[in-house]
Amino acid sequence: MSVVGVPGAVTQAHHEEWARVVASLTRRFGDLDIAEEAAAEAFATAVGRWAADGVPPNPGAWLTTTANRKAIDRIRRENKRDDKQQEAQLLYDDDPREPPDAIGDERLRLIFTCCHPALAMETRVALTLRMVAGLTVAEIARAFLVQETAMGQRITRAKAKIKAARIPYRMPSAEDLPARVSGVLAVLFLVFNEGYLATGPDTDPVRHDLTAEAIRLTRLIRALLPDDGEVAGLLALMLLTEARRTARVSASGELVTLVEQDRGTWDAGLIAEGHRLVRERLAAGVAPGRYQILAAISAVHTSARDVRDTDWWQVVALYDQLVRLDPSPIIALNRAIAVAELDGPEVALAAVDRLEDKLAGYHLYHATRADLLRRLSRGQESRAAYDTAIELAGNTAEIAYLTRRRDQLG
């Protein structure tokens, strides 16, 4: 492979193998810091070595072996004064210290470790996005709308707390699993969202590796908890969203909104599976949770053969139900977008403007305002809102779309 192709091979391997390498190191050495640092060093080493020697037939195995050596080197440096017998046991004992789990997936165990209830919810999400999804600290900071330095400190403290509290690297017991799963679902939802609309300016606008991994792990959790409504709801939501992935970005690299997408290109199989899960939850007769309602909203959208056939009354009714469960400003913003289709842009704009103090740093708040102002023929204000949205957006496809819409104002 040419030198030009090596960075692409390393990037692909990072997408496909990062979580597996980190999970393997965490199981062996029991230290997230060592696992992350050694994995990062292995990927950095791959850039030079693969350029000289060629990409190995099994990049994942090469990276895992190299990362293990990096970790051993670090431990040897740090353990010079420690008991040599203890060091030897740590370095060369590959036997798992826990009995095998019902589902033996290293990455799933890593998620449950990162999502331990001893950590605050936001910290669990951030740590998992870093350790499992392989997102950079900058990407995670953008997802949380915080400064990169603050996010880096949060992740560092989380790893230190796991080490100090000796939080085990294993699946929770059967009786503890239901209580632990909500935090894991929140993480998987954010991993999926980062893949579906990546925030990094130097990444692909849609990262199928992240959406596929989030779906795969959610399927594993559903196998563990087949009767959990929120697990089924999140899986349905992911499937119905993933079904539209190929229509999401144009050939020129511009975002294609739901209104403009070619619905004939949507994945009919994923839509059918998602609709079946939504119907199953409705038939259960149990009050739905957040993910089930979001899945139902997505089911309404994907049931319409044309955007003009969308049942906006039902969409708004579902958002009304969701707001009672989750009165977050993001949900209120999405509800306002649906309200615009029922009651007009002026009513929706009034609702959006009430969110300014909470969403001033969120690019979709300004993008929504820009569109509503455009529909109200308030071109100068719309242009200013587009400018702010473009400045805040990190996704290249979104920036291209917003720029074109702004320039169309004349």
Side-chain angles (χ1 to χ4, degrees):
M1 178 177 290
S2 67
V3 175
V4 174
V6 168
V10 175
T11 298
Q12 181 179 349
H14 187 276
H15 288 169
E16 296 174 355
E17 303 293 345
W18 170 267
R20 190 177 288 108
V21 173
V22 171
S24 173
L25 294 173
T26 303
R27 179 190 64 79
R28 182 172 184 184
F29 300 108
D31 189 301
L32 289 177
D33 254 334
I34 290 175
E36 180 187 7
E37 181 180 297
E41 288 182 4
F43 280 96
T45 301
V47 175
R49 288 286 299 278
W50 293 5
D53 303 336
V55 177
N58 188 337
W62 188 97
L63 289 162
T64 300
T65 299
T66 302
N68 270 282
R69 291 171 180 162
K70 298 289 186 184
I72 289 170
D73 289 344
R74 170 175 166 172
I75 291 171
R76 281 175 172 157
R77 290 194 303 269
E78 294 179 353
N79 285 5
K80 285 182 179 178
R81 294 176 299 168
D82 291 348
D83 180 76
K84 294 301 179 183
Q85 182 178 357
Q86 180 182 0
E87 178 188 347
Q89 182 180 8
L90 175 65
L91 298 182
Y92 303 112
D93 180 10
D94 284 331
D95 294 332
R97 291 170 173 75
E98 301 293 337
D101 301 309
I103 295 182
D105 189 280
E106 295 284 357
R107 288 162 290 184
L108 196 58
R109 284 197 285 273
L110 182 56
I111 282 183
F112 274 99
T113 301
C114 294
C115 294
H116 195 276
L119 303 173
M121 177 61 77
E122 283 193 348
T123 300
R124 299 179 212 173
V125 174
L127 184 62
T128 308
L129 288 173
R130 176 67 193 127
M131 303 303 297
V132 181
L135 271 62
T136 65
V137 174
E139 288 172 331
I140 301 168
R142 280 193 292 270
F144 277 82
L145 306 179
V146 300
Q147 294 295 318
E148 183 176 344
T149 52
M151 181 55 66
Q153 292 168 356
R154 183 183 301 178
I155 292 173
T156 298
R157 287 195 298 267
K159 290 186 292 185
K161 186 167 186 177
I162 285 176
K163 186 174 183 178
R166 297 186 178 182
I167 292 173
Y169 172 68
R170 67 184 180 206
M171 291 286 290
S173 62
E175 56 268 25
D176 291 337
L177 189 59
R180 294 279 301 277
V181 79
S182 63
V184 173
L185 295 184
V187 167
L188 292 176
F189 186 40
L190 278 177
V191 171
F192 182 88
N193 284 341
E194 177 61 31
Y196 192 67
L197 199 62
T199 58
D202 299 322
T203 63
D204 293 334
V206 176
R207 291 183 57 179
H208 178 55
D209 59 304
L210 294 184
T211 59
E213 180 70 355
I215 290 172
R216 189 189 72 80
L217 291 170
T218 305
R219 288 192 188 278
L220 285 177
I221 294 176
R222 179 159 165 75
L224 288 171
L225 298 169
D227 298 323
D228 189 297
E230 282 294 80
V231 176
L234 180 57
L235 179 58
L237 175 61
M238 288 180 176
L239 294 173
L240 294 173
T241 307
E242 179 73 359
R244 299 185 275 113
R245 176 175 54 83
T246 56
R248 181 73 163 166
V249 178
S250 71
S252 62
E254 183 179 312
L255 177 74
V256 182
T257 63
L258 181 63
V259 173
E260 299 171 319
Q261 286 175 17
D262 178 359
R263 299 184 177 217
T265 65
W266 291 355
D267 189 316
L270 293 180
I271 289 175
E273 184 181 359
H275 285 182
R276 178 179 56 77
L277 288 168
V278 171
R279 288 194 299 270
E280 284 180 7
R281 294 314 309 164
L282 288 173
V286 179
R290 177 174 182 261
Y291 298 119
Q292 293 166 80
I293 297 174
L294 286 170
I297 292 170
S298 190
V300 174
H301 285 300
T302 50
S303 295
R305 293 187 177 182
D306 187 279
V307 67
R308 291 168 294 185
D309 300 327
T310 305
D311 188 345
W312 289 107
W313 183 91
Q314 188 176 5
V315 171
V316 173
L318 286 166
Y319 271 119
D320 288 341
Q321 190 176 359
L322 183 58
V323 165
R324 290 192 287 271
L325 286 178
D326 180 11
S328 73
I330 301 293
I331 296 299
L333 179 67
N334 289 332
R335 180 187 178 278
I337 294 171
V339 165
E341 303 302 322
L342 277 184
D343 301 328
E346 191 167 0
V347 174
L349 181 61
V352 170
D353 283 344
R354 288 194 290 270
L355 303 172
E356 181 179 8
D357 60 331
K358 297 177 181 177
L359 295 179
Y362 184 45
H363 74 284
L364 288 180
Y365 163 77
H366 298 283
T368 301
R369 285 194 77 249
D371 182 66
L372 294 172
L373 289 164
R374 178 188 57 80
R375 292 165 65 177
L376 291 168
S377 300
R378 293 162 62 178
Q380 188 172 354
E381 294 170 86
S382 178
R383 174 178 289 276
Y386 274 124
D387 286 340
T388 304
I390 292 166
E391 182 180 349
L392 292 172
N395 184 275
T396 55
E398 275 191 302
I399 291 172
Y401 167 77
L402 293 168
T403 301
R404 177 175 63 84
R405 296 289 282 178
R406 179 198 62 190
D407 293 347
Q408 285 175 340
L409 290 170

